[in-house]
Amino acid sequence: MIYPSIDKLLNQVGSKFLLVNIVAKRVKEMEEEEYYQLSEYKSSKNIGKALEEVSKGLIHVNDK
């Protein structure tokens, strides 16, 4: 089972396209800067960690 669920994430973000872009940018930041916002993650991979940050509301989206 995937954590967090895609349904919960889409309620926060709005579209799959936007979610993919947000997570891709965050993963790139994690790899370059090695900065993580949570002290403990369920996922071992950066993509899962970025999805967890979105689900916890740590990544905010500007709707312009």
Side-chain angles (χ1 to χ4, degrees):
M1 182 166 203
I2 298 172
Y3 178 82
S5 80
I6 189 74
D7 296 328
K8 181 179 178 184
L9 294 170
L10 288 178
N11 286 336
Q12 293 178 324
V13 176
S15 74
K16 290 179 185 178
F17 178 77
L18 185 57
L19 178 63
V20 167
N21 284 314
I22 292 167
V23 170
K25 285 183 180 182
R26 180 63 185 129
V27 168
K28 191 172 182 178
E29 285 178 3
M30 287 177 167
E31 291 172 353
E32 290 175 355
E33 300 173 13
E34 296 183 11
Y35 171 71
Y36 300 94
Q37 296 188 54
L38 296 173
S39 60
E40 200 170 303
Y41 292 92
K42 291 185 179 182
S43 179
S44 61
K45 297 185 179 183
N46 284 342
I47 192 163
K49 291 176 183 179
L51 288 169
E52 288 181 47
E53 289 179 0
V54 171
S55 74
K56 301 271 186 193
L58 298 173
I59 299 174
H60 301 285
V61 181
N62 292 334
D63 294 334
K64 290 184 179 181

